[in-house]
Amino acid sequence: MQQAGQGGGLWQQPVFVGLFASTLFLALGSQIYQLALPLILYELTHSLNAMSQLRAVEFLPNLLLAVFIGVWVDRVCRRRWAQRSLLAMALLLGVAGGLLAQGWLPLWGFYPLAFVMMLCNYITAICRFGLVKHSVPQALLMPATSYLNTLFNLFAVTGPMLSGLLIAFASLAWGMWLPALLFVLSSLALLRVPAMPPLAASERHFATELAAGWAALRANRPLWQLAWAVVLANGASGVAEVLQLFRLRDSLGLSPAQLGVLYGVAGIGGIAAGLSVTWLRQRLGLGRVVMLAFALEGLGMVAMAMLQQVWLLGLVMLASSFVVVCGNVCVWSYRQESTPLALIGRVSGITGSLFKLLMPLGLWLSGALAGSWPLSQLMLAAALLSVLAALCCRLGAVYRVA
């Protein structure tokens, strides 16, 4: 039952307030370590292939395990497992930072670290989706998703900046230690969220539960078609992000501190999107917002492949961040709005696997082809994939979703 129905306002819901506080620390920690990890690896290897492989490994938990996580999350206390995942991330980064500071962290150690970190991060995210669905009334799901997502974009301004400054002027290990502390604080903030038991279920068979989630997704035609459009868009953006980071650092010679500032500027676009996406949906409709987001993201990839001036690149990154966040919030909101509470974990898990389907392959190919293909051509190929995702939205049922 969505308890918020009697509460009146979003900020009167204790579960949402607790989740907001927890997400605040999680968002800042995530933004720091997600830029720090590939940058640290680059400082040690100066290799695009190593960075691409690291990003590919980060997407494997979603691709391989999201379905199992989704079924499992519907069976357990979501708050407790979100806390355990956050503490596991803190422990991993704390230990890895210590090994790095002593020079004992081998290069291959970055890959299992990235895999387990993303696994724990995904468990936390699925638990958070379920808690929001449980506590927030249907009419407030879009603003709730927007507020939580805005935190990630707010700290996209300061997180990369901190990450770049830590790597440039302090020990590389602090790129891991600071996020570890923030994940501990995020776990403690969840103590404000009631430990709600999972919904009672007559079946506890994995295949039966998974089939119910799959049937619900297939029956939701707009979400089913949207999921495949997101497969294309995410495949494009995953490749473009790594190529963009490598081009800025290696080809254009920007320092880690300059990169941090540039990504911080881009985060301002995400904040603006989080504050305006509800208004945009009311004016244009959800389907049109998603279609435009995919198309404009592809246009941004073309600009990032061609431009040389740092200030122009910053403006393009700011605009791209705006459209990407608008698209993401609409996708996540529609998934929550159109999925029954009892199936939210399973549908989130299945779509989570689908959303990342092309990312590992695309990243592996971009790393393998980087030696023989110009970066600009690889980024243009990613842009075409994003435009194709927009076309799928225009021709599909999701385009008519208000």
Side-chain angles (χ1 to χ4, degrees):
M1 181 181 69
Q2 292 182 334
Q3 300 164 349
Q6 304 94 13
L10 190 58
W11 297 103
Q12 295 175 339
Q13 311 307 320
V15 174
F16 179 77
V17 172
L19 282 168
F20 187 87
S22 175
T23 304
L24 185 146
F25 294 115
L26 171 64
L28 180 55
S30 297
Q31 291 293 345
I32 293 173
Y33 104 81
Q34 285 176 3
L35 182 61
L37 224 58
L39 272 181
I40 292 170
L41 188 61
Y42 174 83
E43 295 302 318
L44 297 175
T45 65
H46 296 276
S47 167
L48 171 60
N49 197 35
M51 290 172 64
S52 298
Q53 289 173 356
L54 183 71
R55 291 293 287 161
V57 166
E58 286 181 330
F59 294 122
L60 288 179
N62 294 53
L63 180 62
L64 302 177
L65 301 175
V67 170
F68 302 94
I69 294 169
V71 172
W72 174 70
V73 162
D74 280 338
R75 298 179 175 184
V76 300
C77 174
R78 294 175 175 124
R79 190 211 76 182
R80 291 196 181 103
W81 277 99
Q83 287 181 294
R84 290 166 184 168
S85 298
L86 286 164
L87 292 174
M89 288 195 289
L91 179 62
L92 281 168
L93 286 180
V95 172
L99 293 174
L100 182 65
Q102 298 297 320
W104 297 341
L105 182 62
L107 293 178
W108 61 262
F110 282 85
Y111 300 101
L113 173 64
F115 181 92
V116 181
M117 284 293 297
M118 192 54 69
L119 173 62
C120 294
N121 203 336
Y122 192 71
I123 292 172
T124 303
I126 294 291
C127 289
R128 187 173 67 249
F129 291 149
L131 289 169
V132 171
K133 177 75 174 178
H134 190 281
S135 61
V136 175
Q138 187 81 1
L140 294 177
L141 281 175
M142 181 79 171
T145 304
S146 180
Y147 282 134
L148 293 176
N149 194 70
T150 299
L151 284 174
F152 284 93
N153 294 291
L154 173 64
F155 292 120
V157 176
T158 54
M161 212 174 297
L162 279 172
S163 185
L165 291 172
L166 286 169
I167 291 172
F169 301 113
S171 165
L172 293 178
W174 275 105
M176 298 181 180
W177 285 335
L178 183 55
L181 174 61
L182 291 166
F183 292 148
V184 171
L185 294 176
S186 179
S187 178
L188 293 175
L190 279 177
L191 291 173
R192 295 195 60 185
V193 178
M196 294 174 284
L199 298 176
S202 56
E203 296 283 352
R204 282 303 185 204
H205 302 295
F206 175 82
T208 304
E209 293 176 86
L210 178 59
W214 181 261
L217 176 59
R218 289 298 308 270
N220 187 343
R221 188 163 172 258
L223 183 60
W224 172 251
Q225 294 178 350
L226 177 60
W228 290 103
V230 174
V231 169
L232 299 175
N234 277 356
S237 64
V239 170
E241 285 173 9
V242 173
L243 296 176
Q244 173 183 304
L245 180 59
F246 184 80
R247 181 171 185 256
L248 293 171
R249 182 70 181 94
D250 192 81
S251 302
L252 301 182
L254 272 64
S255 69
Q258 290 173 316
L259 278 177
V261 173
L262 198 60
Y263 277 90
V265 169
I268 296 172
I271 297 172
L275 297 175
S276 59
V277 66
T278 302
W279 179 85
L280 284 172
R281 180 181 179 180
Q282 291 170 349
R283 293 294 183 277
L284 300 176
L286 182 140
R288 288 180 175 86
V289 172
V290 174
M291 181 203 72
L292 287 171
F294 290 161
L296 292 173
E297 185 180 2
L299 185 61
M301 293 174 192
V302 174
M304 290 301 299
M306 300 299 181
L307 295 175
Q308 300 287 333
Q309 297 91 338
V310 174
W311 69 272
L312 283 176
L313 291 168
L315 288 178
V316 171
M317 290 173 68
L318 186 150
S320 295
S321 178
F322 179 87
V323 298
V324 167
V325 171
C326 285
N328 286 345
V329 170
C330 286
V331 170
W332 298 334
S333 297
Y334 184 67
R335 181 174 63 184
Q336 288 188 304
E337 293 167 5
S338 61
T339 303
L341 174 60
L343 296 169
I344 188 65
R346 278 163 277 182
V347 172
S348 295
I350 294 168
T351 53
S353 285
L354 290 177
F355 289 173
K356 300 299 188 290
L357 199 59
L358 275 185
M359 281 183 157
L361 176 62
L363 287 164
W364 178 80
L365 280 175
S366 65
L369 294 174
S372 54
W373 282 31
L375 288 182
S376 58
Q377 290 186 13
L378 292 172
M379 292 186 73
L380 289 175
L384 287 175
L385 207 57
S386 189
V387 172
L388 181 59
L391 181 61
C392 290
C393 287
R394 178 63 184 86
L395 299 176
V398 68
Y399 185 74
R400 296 183 290 277
V401 175

